[in-house]
């Protein structure tokens, strides 16, 4: 039976326990988002007779994987148990042995796997090896949630680019800053805390050089215990204008800074940034400046699976025009900034997002601000 057939069959055959445990495994895996790249953040639970015997999720840096961690916790009690995994167990030898070997050796009798791994190195082979060893394998329970959590991994192995989330803070009249590129506080504490959480769950965060010059941001995750989870900070800077005195550069040894620039950008400027730990990525250009698609391919090659684009309006519009935004998270303040303020996008926000192929998927209150999530159909 193909994985697709099993997926369709699983939806009707799933027990309440299967649904509950696979969702728990997926939520466990999500704890690693932003910290396991280039590997996916996978959770696993070993369960027998309704009792959880072991739990694990992919460790920081991508190894060990969640399955062997959960199996070690379960020990000998894993024999005859079910393992719930958020993604097909790997079947190839990488920097760690295949997870399918560990599952078989532990005496697991049943595997419930949320989705097949589209990575060509796996792509159904893990499930096939488990079945060949006599294990009962069910695929597809929790598939929608799994595809959401593993969106970055799926995008990287199928399209050679990260999953891109655009974040915008917008005033009620559709503005993102004051005239003259002066920064303005738009959203309040609840929305800002959510943004810091989004940063912590991203592999990298991108801004344009205009935003860096205007705001001199730090772009770390400034919630308690989250600063150590800050993502790689990526600056799109066509002419390599990033100042070595900026906060990004002076903190580059603590939290990495990568600058995407064009091939002809100043080598003297690069040499002035290099001693601070800033990494320069030279990429192609198109009529609008840096070729976004080529830059994303290069970020993917370096292991980035989830990229959060945070500012400013020019970079946001470039990503939207290129059709390379998969999700947009818009925080809208109830306050106006005025006619002379800088527009967040070249047109009404919802219309521009719709024209880019993004439709409203969710909306929530974030304190006094409105949080709207648009996704590609």
């Amino acid at each position: 039976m193909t994985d697709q057939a099993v997926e369709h069959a699983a939806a009707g055959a799933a027990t309440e326990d299967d649904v509950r445990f696979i969702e728990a495994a997926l939520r466990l895996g999500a704890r690693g988002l932003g910290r396991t790249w280039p590997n996916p953040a996978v959770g696993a639970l070993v369960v027998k007779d309704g009792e959880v015997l072991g739990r694990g999720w992919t460790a920081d840096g991508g190894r060990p994987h969640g399955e062997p961690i959960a199996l070690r916790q379960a020990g000998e009690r894993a024999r005859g148990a079910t393992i719930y995994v958020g993604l097909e167990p790997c079947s190839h030898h990488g920097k760690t042995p295949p997870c399918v070997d560990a599952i078989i050796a532990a005496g697991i009798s049943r595997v419930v796997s949320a989705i097949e791994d589209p990575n060509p190195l796996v792509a159904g082979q893990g499930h096939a090896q488990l079945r060949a060893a006599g294990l009962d394998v069910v695929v597809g329970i929790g598939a929608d949630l799994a595809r959401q959590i593993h969106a970055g991994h799926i995008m990287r192995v199928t399209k050679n680019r990260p999953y891109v989330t655009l974040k915008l803070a917008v005033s009620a009249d559709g503005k993102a800053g004051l005239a003259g590129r002066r920064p303005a506080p738009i959203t309040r504490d609840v929305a800002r805390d959510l943004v810091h959480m989004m940063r912590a769950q991203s592999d990298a965060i991108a801004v344009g050089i205009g935003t860096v010059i205007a705001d001199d941001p730090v772009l770390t995750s400034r919630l308690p215990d989250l600063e150590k989870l800050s993502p790689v900070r990526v600056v799109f800077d066509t002419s390599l204008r990033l100042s070595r005195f900026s906060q990004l550069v002076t903190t580059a040894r603590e939290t990495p800074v990568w600058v995407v620039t064009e091939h002809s950008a100043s080598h003297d400027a690069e040499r002035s940034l290099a001693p601070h730990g800033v990494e320069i990525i030279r990429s192609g250009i198109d009529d609008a400046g840096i070729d976004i698609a080529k830059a994303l391919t290069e970020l993917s090659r370096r292991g980035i699976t989830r990229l959060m684009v945070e500012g400013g309006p020019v970079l946001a519009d470039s990503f939207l025009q290129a059709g390379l935004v998969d999700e947009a998270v818009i925080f809208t303040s109830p306050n106006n900034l005025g006619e002379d303020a800088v527009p967040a996008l070249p047109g009404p926000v919802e219309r521009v997002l719709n024209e880019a192929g993004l439709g409203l998927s969710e909306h929530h209150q974030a304190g006094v601000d409105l949080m709207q999530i648009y996704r590609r159909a």
Side-chain angles (χ1 to χ4, degrees), residues 27 49 68 73 96 124 149 197 208 222 235 238 285 298 310 313 317 343 350:
R27 299 295 183 193
D49 298 327
Q73 282 188 10
T96 57
I149 290 172
M197 182 62 71
R222 294 189 300 276
V235 182
T238 306
I285 59 172
E298 181 58 30
E310 190 162 338
D317 185 48
E350 184 168 21

Side-chain angles (χ1 to χ4, degrees), residues 112-142:
V112 179
S113 172
I115 56 173
E116 181 181 302
D117 187 347
N119 185 343
L121 295 174
V122 186
Q125 297 177 68
H127 293 151
Q129 289 184 25
L130 291 168
R131 292 190 186 105
L135 281 70
D136 179 20
V137 179
V138 178
V139 183
I141 302 172

